[in-house]
Amino acid sequence: MSLNATQAAAAQAGVLFSSFQKAPIAFPFYHVNREEVIRGIPDKYSSLFAPFATYWIVSLAFHFIDQSGWALFEQYRIHEPDEVKRKNRVTVRQVLVAVFAQQAIQTVLGLWWLGDEDPAFGPFRDHGADLDKYAGWVAQAAIAVLGKDGGRAVVKHCGASVASWMYWWGVPIAQFFLAAFILDTWQYFWHRYFHENLFLYRKVHSWHHRLYVPYAFGALYNHPLEGFILDTLGSVLAESGAGMTTRQAMLFFALSTWKTVDDHCGFALPWDPVQHLFGNNADYHDIHHQIGGLKKNYSQPYFIHFDLLFGTRMTRAEFLARKSDRQAKSTTSPPSTPLLVGKGKKSADGPTSKLEKEE
């Protein structure tokens, strides 16, 4: 709806209050009223730098915690330190090389994807005109729900405040959750498909599961194809699907990166805000990295609704119960001969590594 049409509708209802364009804009605390959030760096480049910086800042913080040996943290460690060397099937050097390679690919593709932002969506757009549009919509909604008299009274009393809150907080928050839902949807179904397609699992996704015991800076240790499909394309779809501005995308990419690193940190910290706010946290995702939970807990990075909806959720209690039952059976059952499907080949259902036998 055009600005004139919105104002006319509000005026006809007799509730049009003073235009936001006639008074100084009350910016919220988060608004940076300059061309660049980081001085000297255009926002489109900052949006690429933000996830890179977040990844290594958060990773190094958890690496410090991991190496500190402090009892404060050790009580929340998910795996014993020796398990990293004993069970992981990739070296730290290989992890670092793969992570830097993926981040380089993401940066190059980001430079190609990101253009100059339309001034109509930039930090110096006409906020007053946009707020007037929101005021008209608020007035129309109030009239529709409460009737002409009730709507007038409500809008006169708090219409400007509601319009301002919707503009600066309500819609941006809704955009964030929409982007998170899009990213979760994309990653859940692709992640699950990478497990259910034997070829893709063996050739692509098994890279990530070489980290039986995850650690923070190994969060993006993936096959390049998986990194491109799950992370790069998923982020682009989430950002564009939610209609985010460059600065909103900067924040969303940084928070998503923080969440991904946190999910692989190896510590179930009760005071960690990310782990406290989201059920999909380090403990939840760690189950997926174990053999007993390999086909459970596909959801990433934010919420677990798809695991709940499709029956792929596994709690820590369920995982431990399954592990205990499997260990009990292994001690009471006689050893079985693997089914041969060809000379020197075992069934796809049989153990495929020493790790699986240990687990």
Side-chain angles (χ1 to χ4, degrees), residues 75-324:
Q75 61 182 318
Y76 300 114
R77 185 186 288 276
I78 298 175
H79 294 276
E80 294 301 321
D82 73 294
E83 290 185 82
V84 174
K85 295 181 180 180
R86 182 164 56 87
K87 293 185 175 181
N88 283 351
R89 296 300 184 257
V90 62
T91 66
V92 170
R93 181 180 179 278
Q94 289 172 315
V95 168
L96 290 172
V97 169
V99 169
F100 279 122
Q102 178 166 328
Q103 290 179 324
I105 293 171
Q106 289 176 336
T107 300
V108 171
L109 291 173
L111 290 171
W112 171 78
W113 167 257
L114 291 174
D116 293 323
E117 188 168 46
D118 186 338
F121 298 98
F124 294 107
R125 62 186 181 273
D126 191 342
H127 294 292
D130 288 342
L131 282 162
D132 278 347
K133 291 180 184 180
Y134 277 67
W137 295 333
V138 168
Q140 287 183 306
I143 297 289
V145 174
L146 302 173
K148 188 173 182 179
D149 292 337
R152 282 180 181 177
V154 169
V155 173
K156 267 187 157 183
H157 177 68
C158 60
S161 299
V162 172
S164 182
W165 185 88
M166 289 294 296
Y167 182 74
W168 292 114
W169 294 100
V171 171
I173 290 172
Q175 286 177 293
F176 177 86
F177 280 102
L178 175 58
F181 176 77
I182 293 172
L183 183 59
D184 276 3
T185 302
W186 179 263
Q187 294 213 354
Y188 175 87
F189 289 104
W190 269 108
H191 186 192
R192 184 170 179 174
Y193 184 62
F194 272 122
H195 275 272
E196 294 180 345
N197 184 298
L198 190 58
F199 174 82
L200 287 177
Y201 181 79
R202 287 178 172 173
K203 300 297 183 181
V204 179
H205 189 57
S206 63
W207 278 39
H208 187 66
H209 283 277
R210 292 171 186 171
L211 287 176
Y212 175 91
V213 181
Y215 46 80
F217 61 84
L220 288 185
Y221 175 68
N222 298 310
H223 188 285
L225 177 62
E226 179 180 353
F228 174 72
I229 292 175
L230 262 70
D231 298 319
T232 306
L233 284 184
S235 296
V236 168
L237 287 172
E239 174 256 339
S240 57
M244 289 182 156
T245 65
T246 300
R247 291 187 178 184
Q248 284 177 300
M250 190 188 311
L251 178 63
F252 179 72
F253 294 158
L255 288 175
S256 298
T257 301
W258 177 12
K259 181 71 173 60
T260 299
V261 173
D262 203 295
D263 289 348
H264 293 81
C265 72
F267 290 84
L269 302 174
W271 59 80
D272 183 329
V274 170
Q275 297 190 29
H276 183 70
L277 292 173
F278 298 93
N280 192 347
N281 51 32
D283 184 66
Y284 187 86
H285 189 68
D286 177 79
I287 293 170
H288 176 72
H289 274 259
Q290 314 311 307
I291 299 301
L294 200 61
K295 292 194 174 183
K296 298 290 184 179
N297 297 6
Y298 295 117
S299 292
Q300 57 185 48
Y302 286 102
F303 305 104
I304 63 172
H305 51 275
F306 285 119
D307 278 325
L308 291 169
L309 183 62
F310 294 105
T312 53
R313 181 195 183 198
M314 177 179 279
T315 65
R316 177 62 67 175
E318 290 170 336
F319 170 76
L320 292 175
R322 174 182 287 191
K323 183 177 181 179
S324 177

Side-chain angles (χ1 to χ4, degrees), residues 7-16 148 152:
Q7 288 180 326
Q12 186 179 10
V15 294
L16 184 61
K148 188 173 182 179
R152 282 180 181 177

